[in-house]
Amino acid sequence: MVLNLRPKCANPSCAAGFEWLGGGRMFRFHRHSGESAPPAELQAGVPNAHPIEHFWLCERCSSIYTLKYEPARGVMILPLWPELPAAKSSMHLPSS
């Protein structure tokens, strides 16, 4: 098993590799004691896997998305601006 020694953007659809000076946004989440380590750490036999996990969104993705931690689901990627609800069809614009 080979660990990913060159981290990438936390957006699964983005292939940007981590660059310290490349911009973007770092996130740090605390893994609760009841949660297990990520599968890669378990398979690699990492002893006492650290309860703090770090994630990075590249500059492009961090302008569109954010990361949020939910205890039951883990780290999720969410849009910064949720979609607006559709306009009601009964609305009428005044005529000019």
Side-chain angles (χ1 to χ4, degrees), residues 6-19:
R6 178 137 166 81
K8 67 172 244 17
C9 180
N11 179 358
S13 301
C14 180
F18 176 73
E19 293 182 31

Side-chain angles (χ1 to χ4, degrees), residues 10-65:
N11 179 358
S13 301
C14 180
F18 176 73
E19 293 182 31
W20 183 254
L21 300 175
R25 184 168 176 209
M26 292 289 297
F27 294 84
R28 187 175 99 163
F29 297 107
H30 187 270
R31 186 181 332 137
H32 295 297
S33 59
E35 295 176 325
S36 62
E41 289 181 12
L42 292 175
Q43 289 178 358
V46 176
N48 301 323
H50 202 279
I52 303 291
E53 294 184 271
H54 295 86
F55 298 86
W56 172 73
L57 284 174
C58 70
E59 189 168 1
R60 190 176 124 246
C61 290
S62 65
S63 67
I64 302 168
Y65 300 106

